[in-house]
Amino acid sequence: MNPHNPGTLVRASILHFLRDPGPEPDPSAWQYFEDGALYIEDGRVRRCGGWDEVLAALPDMAQAAARYLDYRGKLLVPGFIDCHVHYPQARIMGAYGRQLLDWLAHDTFPAEMALADADLARASAEHFAQRMLAHGTTTASVFATVHAHSVDAFFEAAQRRQLRVLCGKVMMDRNCPEALRDSPEQAWEECRALIDRWHGKERLRYAVTPRFAPTSSAAQLDVAGRLLESAPDLHLQSHLSENPGELAWVRTLFPDCRDYTDVYRQHGLLRPSAIYGHGVHLSEGELAVLAQSGAALAFCPSSNRFLGSGHMDASRALAAGVRLGLASDVGAGTSLSMLRTMAAAYEVSMATPLALNPWRLWYLATQGGAEALRLDEWIGNFTEGKEADFVVLDWQATPDLAWRIAHCDDLAERLFALLMLGDERCVVATHILGQAAFVSGQERR
Ligand code: GUN
Ligand code: ZN
């Protein structure tokens, strides 16, 4: 025990995952403590287990000094992880009536152009970071806009709250409005400066962010590859194989590539630190290439439904050995809630040969996301030494949910009901590094 900084002892029902429970859920993949304890020191998990067992293992001095948080009757899980989201697009969520390419041209690009105004970028980043906490999301992989100041704005908002996040400046040098266009050289200069300013600072990490193949020239995709080589541990985020119109366009833009995945492969952008949003229309061959490269996919079910992009077969991707996280993809996604996103993932999976089971859905929103983003050495579950980011959820947040929960027979049913019927109204508290950051509908500053 650190005598100057006593620990925190949290009592709640606790669920966390050690690995993917798989299609036939393997109970050794998770731990659930109905009367559980999480003991935290210096923002890190020291012990997680049953209440009696954790207390018995704690030295008396530590027990006497600890701050005690009583969330009995609530469910405590690791902070949610949103593997792919665009903070500047929160203001166009739910824009009516178009598929991907028209939606980008008519709704998205104008919204991103507006962030040329640095004040608006700061206000948008503040709003977004606050809403993350309100939804129990403590980590996200975030697209800014092409403007370097939009990355500064987001990292500043995240740093103030000690969020563990990835973010990057969108790189686009063709097929977009002039006002959103950079060049390979400008992208190099601006990204290098941002990497020097932010990457590895506290809990912030830089993600090289070419928007997608159609809006970057081959020269700019090469710059993305060179950037990844320019500093250790950089991440990469982009989009892949989302919409049929997009696929046809990529074929005409890159006639020498075997398929969409091959575009990124040829530019050295398939690697373990990479995560691609969507992957709805991938062939078996493309899935095998992704699995072999170690690159991950971000499954964006509400976005795919909203833009009519198609039904991603998440079980197939996992069976192929591809790491997978869950993502809101706001503003094409229609909610920042990872509970709503889990529900959408289940509903989309019902249109595929194998539905996602409740355990796998909770895994994907927590430890699965950490693994997909290659952040699992720090976050994702409550094994000893992990950063203590967590969310406390109310099983009874609405009358409909309470009534349903009262009539569930077992934990799997309750967990499924909570994700299907829940949303941010279920979030009692969000804790960052053990500290309360959002409680009872209010941000704690
Ligand atoms: N593909 C390229 N850009 C975007 C974007 O902003 N959102 C989505 N859903 N797909 C994209
Ligand atoms: Zn996206």
Side-chain angles (χ1 to χ4, degrees), residues 81-131:
I81 299 177
D82 187 344
C83 286
H84 177 117
V85 61
H86 303 251
Y87 93 78
Q89 295 177 15
R91 55 207 285 271
I92 55 154
M93 257 197 273
Y96 176 73
R98 286 181 256 263
Q99 287 213 354
L100 175 65
L101 300 178
D102 291 330
W103 174 81
L104 283 173
H106 287 95
D107 300 298
T108 316
F109 289 157
E112 295 191 10
M113 273 149 74
L115 266 68
D117 174 352
D119 288 339
L120 180 62
R122 275 192 292 275
S124 304
E126 273 294 304
H127 169 80
F128 184 85
Q130 275 174 18
R131 297 309 299 158

Side-chain angles (χ1 to χ4, degrees), residues 84 86 143 239 278 329:
H84 177 117
H86 303 251
F143 287 62
H239 297 84
H278 305 290
D329 192 30

Side-chain angles (χ1 to χ4, degrees), residues 2 26 45 65 100 133 136 175 190 218 241 243 255 271 279 303 326 353 367 378 385 418:
N2 175 348
D26 167 7
V45 175
L100 175 65
L133 289 174
N175 295 322
E190 291 182 350
S241 199
N243 166 283
R271 16 173 116 212
S303 161
L326 262 188
Q367 173 70 8
W378 297 292
L418 181 57

Side-chain angles (χ1 to χ4, degrees), residues 31-344:
Q31 292 184 319
Y32 177 71
F33 306 102
E34 176 73 26
D35 182 14
L38 188 65
Y39 181 65
I40 300 161
E41 269 181 4
D42 299 325
R44 289 179 181 261
V45 175
R46 287 292 157 237
R47 211 170 177 109
C48 175
W51 176 257
D52 292 339
E53 166 208 329
V54 169
L55 247 64
L58 270 191
D60 288 348
M61 257 178 42
Q63 232 187 84
R67 207 162 52 100
Y68 175 61
L69 296 177
D70 188 354
Y71 289 124
R72 264 178 290 180
K74 307 287 189 284
L75 177 68
L76 189 157
V77 296
F80 291 130
I81 299 177
D82 187 344
C83 286
H84 177 117
V85 61
H86 303 251
Y87 93 78
Q89 295 177 15
R91 55 207 285 271
I92 55 154
M93 257 197 273
Y96 176 73
R98 286 181 256 263
Q99 287 213 354
L100 175 65
L101 300 178
D102 291 330
W103 174 81
L104 283 173
H106 287 95
D107 300 298
T108 316
F109 289 157
E112 295 191 10
M113 273 149 74
L115 266 68
D117 174 352
D119 288 339
L120 180 62
R122 275 192 292 275
S124 304
E126 273 294 304
H127 169 80
F128 184 85
Q130 275 174 18
R131 297 309 299 158
M132 275 180 67
L133 289 174
H135 285 276
T137 300
T138 52
T139 285
S141 189
V142 179
F143 287 62
T145 65
V146 73
H147 314 98
H149 65 244
S150 72
V151 179
D152 291 326
F154 182 70
F155 275 141
E156 282 160 12
Q159 188 179 33
R160 269 195 290 282
R161 296 169 174 84
Q162 293 191 285
L163 300 173
R164 185 168 270 295
V165 291
L166 316 182
C167 183
K169 171 195 125 73
V170 169
M171 300 163 65
M172 283 201 277
D173 67 347
R174 63 170 178 170
N175 295 322
C176 66
E178 187 61 41
L180 288 179
R181 205 168 293 185
D182 58 8
S183 65
E185 299 73 26
Q186 190 187 347
W188 169 266
E189 293 300 327
E190 291 182 350
C191 293
R192 277 296 329 147
L194 287 165
I195 291 164
D196 287 345
R197 193 143 66 242
W198 294 110
H199 182 58
K201 193 168 186 181
E202 299 171 26
R203 306 185 83 202
L204 313 174
R205 301 176 67 79
Y206 195 83
V208 176
T209 308
R211 177 173 221 116
F212 67 156
T215 48
S216 284
S217 64
Q220 192 176 57
L221 294 176
D222 284 338
V223 165
R226 278 178 36 223
L227 283 165
L228 288 168
E229 302 293 342
S230 73
D233 306 332
L234 286 170
H235 300 257
L236 177 125
Q237 57 181 353
S238 189
H239 297 84
L240 169 66
S241 199
E242 174 178 1
N243 166 283
E246 171 204 16
L247 264 68
W249 196 21
V250 170
R251 273 196 293 277
T252 66
L253 290 171
F254 296 91
D256 297 336
C257 292
R258 213 176 323 134
D259 47 44
Y260 198 159
T261 303
D262 199 43
V263 177
Y264 296 127
R265 188 191 64 77
Q266 287 200 13
H267 293 277
L269 303 181
L270 293 189
R271 16 173 116 212
S273 61
I275 184 158
Y276 289 91
H278 305 290
V280 177
H281 304 284
L282 296 171
S283 67
E284 287 296 329
E286 287 177 284
L287 284 173
V289 168
L290 281 173
Q292 219 243 330
S293 71
L297 290 175
F299 176 23
C300 310
S302 90
S303 161
N304 294 159
R305 281 199 315 212
F306 183 71
L307 294 178
S309 302
H311 296 120
M312 158 90 174
D313 189 339
S315 300
R316 171 174 170 255
L318 286 162
V322 178
R323 278 173 307 116
L324 192 75
L326 262 188
S328 70
D329 192 30
V330 159
T334 49
S335 171
L336 284 170
S337 165
M338 294 310 290
L339 291 168
R340 304 290 314 120
T341 305
M342 284 188 255

